[in-house]
Amino acid sequence: MLRRRKKIKIGLLSGGGDAPGINAVLRSIVRKAIQDYGYEIVGVKDGWRGLVEGEFIPLDLKSLVGLLPKGGSILGTSRTNPFKSEDGAECILKNVSEHDIGAIIAIGGEDTLGVASKLYEMGLPVVGVPKTIDNDLVGTDYTFGFQTAVSIACEALDRLHTTAESHHRVIILEVMGRYTGWIALEAGIAGGADAILIPERPFDIDEVCECIRRRQKRGRNFSIIVAAEGAKPKGGEEIVYSSGVDAFGHARLGGVGYYIGKEIEKRFENIDTRAVVLGHLQRGGSPNAFDRVLATRFGIAAIDLVHEGRFGQMVAIQGNVMVSVPLKDVIGKRKTVDLKLYEIGATFFG
Ligand code: F6P
C-alpha cells in the first residue's frame, strides 16, 4: 500500500516595526503555497518571540479573506532578538524541529533579517522578505511599506502648506526613516518642501534660515521644512526621544522638528514656527496600490525560493525585476539616499 507523503509545513513570521503590506505578503505566500505546492502553512506569533516560545497560528485559505488592504500584521510583530538571551537561538531550532517545520519565511528589516541570516548559518532553512517603511535595506531598490509612508507624508505636506500659508508660519514636518532620509527626501520632493533635512547630509541651521529668508525676499512669508527623524546638525548628534536602546541597540529617535523650530525662532524677530511629528501614522492603515503589488510579488517570489530549496536568500526588486540576494550580503549594511536625488530636491530649497 502506498503511504501518503506528509505535507511540508512552512512557518511565516513578521518582525520589527510593522509596515503596510505585511498582510498582503502573507496572503500571497499562503495562496500560492497551498494552491500550487500543497504545503501546510503556520503563522508564528510576534516575530522571533513566537518561534522562541513556540506560539503558532494556523493559516489556511479562509484566513486570507480581506487581507490584501489590511494594515498591520495579523501575526503580530515584536523587536525580540533571540540572540540576546542565552538559549534563544537553540529554542528556535528546537521548536522548528519539534513542530515539524520545513522552512521559515521571515518578513522584516535589517534586524529581523540579521537574525534570519545567523540562524541560517546555524542550519535553519529560511528565506527573507524585505519590509520597512525606511527603505534602507541594501540589495533591493524598494522595501514594501515605503511608498505608502511617502504618500502619507506627501499628503500631510499638502495639508500643512495651506495652514502654513494662511498663518505665515514655518512648519517643520518630522518624518520617520531612522538613520536614512528616504521618506523625507521623496515626500519632500513630492510635497514641494522648501528644505529637506536628512541624516546623510548633516544640516547647518543658518543655511536653513537662509532658505526662509530667500523666500521672504520673494514675498513668500511661509515655509515648509521636512526633517527626517535622524537628521542632525553639523558636528552634532541625532536627537533622541528617550534614553535607552532596544534589543538591537537602536535608540528611539524623535524631537528634531521641535529643535529646528526653536533654533529658527532664535534667529528671526517675527517668525512663528510649528513642528508636526507624523510618527506612526506613516505605518498604520492600508498599503497603497504600489505596495500591494510589490508585497504580492515578494510573497510569490519567497514561496518559490522555498519550493526551489534556495535558502539563506532575500527576495528583492532590482529595476522592476524580481531577484534574490544572499542574506549575508544584506545585513550589517545600510542603503543611504541617492545623493543625485537629493540634489534634485535641493534645486527647490528656498
Ligand atoms: O524602522 C521603522 C521605524 O518606523 C523607524 O522609521 C522608526 O524610527 C522606528 O521604526 C520606530 O519604532 P517604534 O515603532 O518601536 O516606535
Side-chain angles (χ1 to χ4, degrees), residues 13-306:
L13 67 85
S14 56
D18 65 345
I22 295 177
N23 291 322
V25 175
L26 297 174
R27 166 184 178 265
S28 169
I29 296 173
V30 176
R31 179 72 183 255
K32 174 112 185 175
I34 295 177
Q35 182 181 285
D36 292 4
Y37 298 139
Y39 294 147
E40 185 183 339
I41 301 287
V42 70
V44 179
K45 270 191 160 178
D46 300 338
W48 296 117
R49 187 197 66 74
L51 214 46
V52 172
E53 294 173 19
E55 282 189 38
F56 302 100
I57 307 172
L59 290 174
D60 57 18
L61 292 176
K62 278 198 222 113
S63 342
L64 307 183
V65 177
L67 274 199
L68 181 60
K70 194 178 164 81
S73 169
I74 56 160
L75 302 179
T77 184
S78 74
R79 296 197 189 278
T80 301
N81 180 353
F83 290 95
K84 275 279 167 187
S85 65
E86 222 172 85
D87 59 350
E90 283 68 31
C91 284
I92 287 181
L93 297 177
K94 189 165 106 338
N95 276 326
V96 164
S97 147
E98 276 177 6
H99 289 86
D100 227 358
I101 295 172
I104 291 287
I105 299 180
I107 305 166
E110 219 269 311
D111 297 332
T112 304
L113 298 183
V115 170
S117 182
K118 282 192 198 161
L119 289 168
Y120 172 67
E121 298 300 328
M122 293 171 73
L124 182 77
V126 61
V127 159
V129 177
K131 167 238 62 159
T132 166
I133 62 163
D134 303 341
N135 199 37
D136 59 353
L137 276 175
V138 300
T140 187
D141 294 348
Y142 291 108
T143 53
F144 74 84
F146 167 66
Q147 289 293 349
T148 304
V150 169
S151 306
I152 293 166
C154 177
E155 193 197 328
L157 286 170
D158 289 348
R159 291 178 183 278
L160 292 174
H161 258 100
T162 60
T163 176
E165 183 166 15
S166 305
H167 287 268
H168 322 298
R169 283 175 174 156
V170 172
I171 299 191
I172 303 110
L173 179 69
E174 179 180 314
V175 297
M176 284 186 168
R178 205 161 251 166
Y179 314 115
T180 64
W182 285 103
I183 301 176
L185 182 56
E186 291 216 0
I189 292 173
D194 304 307
I196 302 171
L197 312 180
I198 56 172
E200 292 88 340
R201 281 283 179 98
F203 61 87
D204 177 338
I205 195 72
D206 292 317
E207 282 171 19
V208 176
C209 291
E210 251 331 287
C211 291
I212 298 169
R213 276 194 201 96
R214 281 206 300 275
R215 283 176 58 76
Q216 287 176 327
K217 281 185 197 141
R218 296 203 313 276
R220 309 292 279 156
N221 55 3
F222 74 97
S223 291
I224 298 287
I225 297 168
V226 182
E229 61 182 355
K232 51 189 174 212
K234 271 184 189 159
E237 292 295 321
E238 292 124 352
I239 293 166
V240 293
Y241 180 83
S242 55
S243 57
V245 291
D246 69 13
F248 291 91
H250 303 298
R252 197 166 147 202
L253 299 175
V256 70
Y258 295 108
Y259 167 83
I260 293 163
K262 284 185 200 149
E263 291 300 313
I264 291 171
E265 287 193 6
K266 280 186 208 162
R267 287 163 174 80
F268 287 88
E269 289 265 301
N270 277 322
I271 276 197
D272 200 13
T273 69
R274 293 289 185 274
V276 174
V277 181
L278 200 51
H280 295 78
L281 287 173
Q282 292 157 98
R283 285 198 343 218
S286 273
N288 68 8
F290 180 95
D291 279 330
R292 292 182 200 190
V293 174
L294 184 61
T296 301
R297 292 176 77 187
F298 277 161
I300 299 289
I303 194 65
D304 283 349
L305 280 184
V306 169

